[in-house]
Amino acid sequence: MSRDAPNGVTPRRPPPMAPMGRARYIVIMTLVLVGLGLLVGRIVDLHVFDHSFLQGQGDARTLRVDEIPAHRGMITDRHGDPLAISTPVVTLWANPQDLPDDGIQRLRLAQALGQDLDALDARIERYADREFMYLRRRMTPAAAQEVLDLHVPGVHARREYKRYYPAGEVTAQLLGVTNIDDQGQEGLELAYQPYLAGVPGKRRVLKDRRGRLVRDLEVLDDAQPGGDLTLSIDQSLQYMAYRELKKAVDENEADGGTLVMLDADTGEVLAMANQPSYNPNNRAGLDPEGLRNQAIVDVFEPGSVMKPLAMSALLETGKFPPDTIVDTSPGWMVIDGYTIRDVSNNGKLSLAGILRKSSNIGMSKLTLQLDEPRVPQRYRALGFDRAPGTGFPGEATGSVPSPQVWSSSQWAALSYGYGLSVSALQLASAYTAIANHGRRLPPSLLRLSKAPKGDPVIDPAIADRVLGMMDEVVAPGTGARRGMVPGYSVAGKTGTVRKTGSGGYQERTYRALFVGIAPVSDPRIIAVVMIDHPRGDAYYGGAIAAPVFSRVAGNALRLLDVPPDRPSQDDDA
């Protein structure tokens, strides 16, 4: 028995490897060693020679560039009182995948957010496959902190700004509004969006893989705040104008109204009020009708308030000396098959008497003596066929007809304010030519550093003469007497216009208007009042719109420290 085989058992030796198996083994081992070598080489390369690659890949998963919101510029009145400001707010958001499933935590979160638990659960379920959802936007910092103090996993905060309008509905249509992202949507907020918005900044931050902020690293670009906008509006006059307009609309059960007050020396808009309005700080249940700034974007047939402007064109022809008398009997006339009427038979009238009695017959007879369309030419020169140029979104251009062949009825209608369309702002701007010795001033919604030169559109002597005729219109015993202001002289003109519908002019549906300049001795303000469809027994401009002017102008002149120029004037209305 061999010594190498204990217990008598002979060990079996493995069979020698076949040549083909040995070759396969060598190939496999060679591939493994080569792969390991390549892997080790790449590791050495990345850590020693090309470590910036790994650094970049790591940073891409942890470093982020976040936006720094820019503070939106403030809008103020001409004295610096705030009309629109941006206040800091906090928006809460969440990663739905990180929010806990625990019912108690969900309930506490919903209660802190002021939301229904079932509604919150439904939203979380809807966003379950995403990494971002808003929980609640634009919360006060204190309210947001109460939510954050719950330390609910997955809940985060973002600092933002919210627009606030101290004057509320009083300046709503003029200023407009911003959306939830603080971008201008209406009015001046939209018109000056790039200027007010500013430029957001950038900052580099470190976040974990779930998007949570770990550390603020550096500011790459500082946020550039938006510019401040100073309006021509006087907030005290604006409040007063809005209050009086709203009162008149309510008392007369009217559909609405508008009031525009200009500085007679500069063309600046001192007040611009509209009805209906809305609260820009709470837009729940908003009536879309309240969004429109009617004073700028809406047009209407102006009626008799155009007569002084038409009279200026007639006087410049030189055909009508101061002692001209027009027989308006019997109070009606037919032109091209159309019947034109006065309210009553006024008999023989002087030129001033035609304005004082607001005679359609008198204006028509004067106009039909001309050989060329001087009245529509004057209207165009006064800006009734183009936008006022304030920059306000959607400002109306108005319209003045320009047919190839004029009919007598068209000439006549234009002379007493029918057949054209104007906005309240255009109308007020046109009357700056009467108040400024023939120079029309462009209207401005922004405060001006100096008065513009204006465009000479009316002969100075004629403008002054028409101003004096309008002074006679607003006097005791006239239809415009309710526009008088105690202690001050007023030049004005009333207007009562039938509204049109799908079937033409409507019965018992009117607009009541009044245009006034005060004081006559040295004009300081120009105001246009329009009340849309008053439903009471009275609907004439002298009865509805003139009293609004009287109250607004009286308060405005006193607030502007304009000295009285006619202390003995009394209203016998």
Side-chain angles (χ1 to χ4, degrees):
M1 182 177 294
S2 169
R3 291 177 300 175
D4 298 327
N7 302 322
V9 179
T10 302
R12 297 182 62 185
R13 298 180 181 276
M17 183 178 292
M20 184 58 69
R22 184 185 299 274
R24 187 181 297 111
Y25 175 77
I26 293 174
V27 170
I28 292 173
M29 290 303 297
T30 300
L31 292 175
V32 171
L33 292 174
V34 169
L36 289 174
L38 292 174
L39 181 61
V40 171
R42 182 56 177 161
I43 292 173
V44 172
D45 179 61
L46 290 174
H47 283 79
V48 178
F49 302 105
D50 195 17
H51 63 279
S52 61
F53 174 80
L54 286 181
Q55 182 68 44
Q57 291 297 307
D59 289 347
R61 289 161 175 78
T62 57
L63 292 180
R64 296 287 188 273
V65 175
D66 275 2
E67 183 179 277
I68 303 174
H71 186 274
R72 191 173 181 86
M74 182 167 57
I75 301 178
T76 70
D77 81 339
R78 64 186 303 106
H79 303 299
D81 294 327
L83 298 175
I85 56 178
S86 290
T87 58
V89 292
V90 177
T91 286
L92 296 180
W93 64 278
N95 184 338
Q97 300 175 13
D98 292 342
L99 289 174
D101 294 327
D102 178 63
I104 299 299
Q105 283 189 302
R106 288 276 186 97
L107 178 60
R108 293 174 62 196
L109 176 61
Q111 291 174 339
L113 291 170
Q115 299 177 5
D116 179 74
L117 176 60
D118 292 338
L120 178 62
D121 286 340
R123 289 184 61 234
I124 294 174
E125 181 66 26
R126 191 162 64 250
Y127 287 88
D129 58 344
R130 304 182 189 181
E131 296 184 353
F132 179 92
M133 63 172 282
Y134 285 117
L135 291 174
R136 186 175 170 186
R137 300 201 65 178
R138 302 168 83 173
M139 301 177 66
T140 64
Q145 191 59 49
E146 291 182 6
V147 179
L148 295 174
D149 288 344
L150 297 176
H151 302 293
V152 176
V155 176
H156 311 280
R158 174 191 292 175
R159 309 294 170 181
E160 294 180 331
Y161 291 100
K162 178 182 179 180
R163 206 62 161 166
Y164 175 68
Y165 302 94
E169 65 185 47
V170 174
T171 56
Q173 295 99 340
L174 177 62
L175 299 181
V177 292
T178 59
N179 62 14
I180 199 167
D181 295 315
D182 216 23
Q183 298 174 334
Q185 298 295 293
E186 300 281 347
L188 294 176
E189 292 277 29
L190 174 60
Y192 291 92
Q193 164 62 22
Y195 175 77
L196 291 167
V199 181
K202 296 179 180 179
R203 63 174 182 169
R204 195 188 307 276
V205 297
L206 186 66
K207 294 186 177 182
D208 63 16
R209 66 185 183 86
R210 296 190 180 275
R212 294 173 294 198
L213 180 66
V214 176
R215 185 169 39 173
D216 225 328
L217 297 179
E218 61 177 326
V219 175
L220 301 177
D221 294 305
D222 286 322
Q224 300 177 24
D228 293 336
L229 198 64
T230 303
L231 304 188
S232 58
I233 296 295
D234 184 311
Q235 188 167 205
S236 297
L237 299 182
Q238 179 72 17
Y239 269 104
M240 179 262 299
Y242 181 83
R243 181 186 67 242
E244 295 296 341
L245 179 68
K246 181 175 173 52
K247 178 182 177 182
V249 169
D250 291 344
E251 288 179 347
N252 293 282
E253 300 178 10
D255 286 347
T258 189
L259 188 154
V260 178
M261 182 188 298
L262 300 186
D263 186 312
D265 293 328
T266 65
E268 294 170 296
V269 177
L270 299 177
M272 180 177 285
N274 294 278
Q275 278 291 303
S277 188
Y278 68 99
N279 183 359
N281 299 312
N282 181 8
R283 289 166 240 171
L286 172 65
D287 180 2
E289 286 294 314
L291 286 172
R292 294 195 334 275
N293 188 348
Q294 301 175 54
I296 299 181
V297 304
D298 285 2
V299 295
F300 51 87
E301 275 188 317
S304 294
V305 292
M306 298 297 289
K307 287 173 180 173
L309 304 177
M311 183 65 77
S312 72
L314 298 174
L315 294 177
E316 279 192 4
T317 64
K319 285 191 171 187
F320 310 106
D323 58 352
T324 298
I325 299 295
V326 179
D327 188 357
T328 65
S329 297
W332 58 272
M333 63 186 295
V334 178
I335 305 177
D336 297 336
Y338 297 96
T339 301
I340 301 172
R341 299 181 184 276
D342 283 344
V343 175
S344 61
N345 183 2
N346 296 305
K348 295 180 179 180
L349 296 174
S350 65
L351 298 181
I354 290 174
L355 293 186
R356 189 168 57 251
K357 293 294 186 178
S358 196
S359 173
N360 296 338
I361 304 300
M363 292 300 300
S364 298
K365 285 188 172 183
L366 292 173
T367 301
L368 293 177
Q369 295 183 45
L370 303 182
D371 297 325
E372 54 183 329
R374 296 293 291 270
V375 171
Q377 290 172 5
R378 172 54 45 83
Y379 291 167
R380 293 191 189 93
L382 290 169
F384 289 117
D385 64 342
R386 58 186 180 275
T390 62
F392 193 89
E395 60 180 3
T397 60
S399 66
V400 179
S402 55
Q404 294 294 323
V405 179
W406 286 90
S407 68
S408 297
S409 58
Q410 287 175 314
W411 282 28
L414 286 173
S415 72
Y416 53 83
Y418 278 78
L420 75 158
S421 61
V422 306
S423 70
L425 180 60
Q426 285 179 314
L427 190 58
S429 178
Y431 270 94
T432 61
I434 301 297
N436 280 280
H437 312 292
R439 292 182 302 109
R440 175 189 171 270
L441 303 177
S444 176
L445 295 173
L446 304 182
R447 189 185 66 185
L448 302 177
S449 58
K450 62 178 182 179
K453 293 182 178 180
D455 300 320
V457 293
I458 303 176
D459 180 271
I462 298 299
D464 293 345
R465 184 177 170 188
V466 171
L467 182 64
M469 296 166 73
M470 293 175 64
D471 187 9
E472 295 183 32
V473 171
V474 187
T478 69
R481 64 187 182 278
R482 292 181 177 85
M484 295 168 60
V485 177
Y488 297 92
S489 57
V490 173
K493 185 68 189 77
T494 61
T496 307
V497 191
R498 290 177 62 184
K499 294 182 63 174
T500 59
S502 57
Y505 289 105
Q506 300 176 337
E507 293 294 331
R508 297 289 301 174
T509 307
Y510 301 93
R511 287 189 177 93
L513 293 104
F514 186 87
V515 176
I517 301 171
V520 176
S521 58
D522 184 14
R524 183 67 177 84
I525 62 169
I526 299 167
V528 171
V529 180
M530 188 276 287
I531 306 297
D532 185 17
H533 191 193
R535 289 178 171 80
D537 294 332
Y539 56 86
Y540 286 107
I544 303 298
V548 179
F549 171 87
S550 176
R551 294 190 293 269
V552 170
N555 288 329
L557 293 171
R558 287 185 285 272
L559 285 171
L560 296 172
D561 292 326
V562 178
D565 69 337
R566 192 172 292 176
S568 62
Q569 187 179 39
D570 296 317
D571 186 359
D572 67 352

